[in-house]
Amino acid sequence: KQEVTQIPAALSVPEGENLVLNCSFTDSAIYNLQWFRQDPGKGLTSLLLIQSSQREQTSGRLNASLDKSSGRSTLYIAASQPGDSATYLCAVRLTNSGYALNFGKGTSLLVTP
Amino acid sequence: NAGVTQTPKFRILKIGQSMTLQCAQDMNHNYMYWYRQDPGMGLKLIYYSVGAGITDKGEVPNGYNVSRSTTEDFPLRLELAAPSQTSVYFCASSYAAGVQGKTQYFGPGTRLLVL
């Protein structure tokens, strides 16, 4: 069974810092990996989707990398802002699990002014 | 586009009651999904559908039923509510082209409390 782990569970940083969120998964037979943002009481917003054949994706201040062989992905946030405060979820789609996404428990990020 | 909409936003049920959580999308997506999120946990897939008339179980389907009579709507039915079904329910949709799939778009969620 695929296990998706996110470290750290919570993170507090001052505004302007660059930071890295980590995601690890136990089964490397994945189609893709997706990073989501979840604001309190809200739904999920997709940030970046990395296909299994790709190594990284970038969107603005966000950069996500994927290393399938080691079962790891990182989400890099440059020049963090208070508006980045949210929970960040990592999810993988396995090649043999139909259409299910396997989610980690998330990293709760607080960026202080 | 409204995207993925869910109703109600919040509901309190008594044990044994039934209810239907509504989900609709206006993006003409083939695929739709229902997830539940328990406090401090990741989302778990309840049911999904790859098109009108086709549904399949996810990881945690017990106690739930779904139907997909149209492309736009994917309601989730709880027949006999139990306290273990207290959770936040998210509906999502995607347009999956090929085996690798596409981004899933999520609704705002329905918070359900069973007492």
Side-chain angles (χ1 to χ4, degrees), chain B residues 37-59:
Chain B
Q37 184 179 33
D38 298 326
M41 303 294 288
L43 281 72
K44 294 189 177 180
L45 185 66
I46 306 172
Y47 270 96
Y48 66 95
S49 169
V50 301
I54 306 171
T55 63
D56 208 345
K57 297 178 180 179
E59 185 180 358

Side-chain angles (χ1 to χ4, degrees), chain B residues 33-112:
Chain B
Y33 317 81
W34 275 106
Y35 293 89
R36 60 177 286 173
Q37 184 179 33
D38 298 326
M41 303 294 288
L43 281 72
K44 294 189 177 180
L45 185 66
I46 306 172
Y47 270 96
Y48 66 95
S49 169
V50 301
I54 306 171
T55 63
D56 208 345
K57 297 178 180 179
E59 185 180 358
V60 290
N62 291 343
Y64 307 94
N65 279 300
V66 293
S67 60
R68 184 94 180 274
S69 57
T70 67
T71 299
E72 295 78 19
D73 301 298
F74 190 38
L76 177 71
R77 178 83 178 161
L78 283 71
E79 291 294 348
L80 293 171
S84 62
Q85 293 178 305
T86 293
S87 190
V88 181
Y89 292 84
F90 290 100
C91 179
S93 71
S94 68
Y95 178 70
V99 296
Q100 292 193 327
K102 298 293 185 184
T103 299
Q104 291 189 14
Y105 295 86
F106 282 75
T110 293
R111 191 173 300 271
L112 178 65

Side-chain angles (χ1 to χ4, degrees), chain A residues 7-90:
Chain A
I7 294 173
L11 181 64
S12 180
V13 300
E15 181 177 7
E17 274 203 8
N18 302 324
L19 57 101
V20 174
L21 307 182
N22 296 290
C23 172
S24 62
F25 47 95
T26 54
D27 188 340
S28 61
I30 66 171
Y31 276 136
N32 57 50
L33 182 144
Q34 202 162 353
W35 283 93
F36 292 89
R37 169 186 172 136
Q38 184 176 26
D39 293 285
K42 301 287 181 63
L44 280 67
T45 301
S46 179
L47 298 173
L48 291 164
L49 172 68
I50 310 176
Q51 303 292 0
S52 61
S53 57
Q54 298 174 321
R55 294 292 298 229
E56 65 177 345
Q57 283 284 344
T58 298
S59 176
R61 294 183 294 107
L62 304 180
N63 176 275
S65 67
L66 175 64
D67 184 342
K68 257 196 349 175
S69 60
S70 66
R72 294 184 181 186
S73 175
T74 60
L75 179 66
Y76 175 81
I77 302 177
S80 58
Q81 303 171 356
D84 294 330
S85 298
T87 296
Y88 291 81
L89 295 165
C90 165

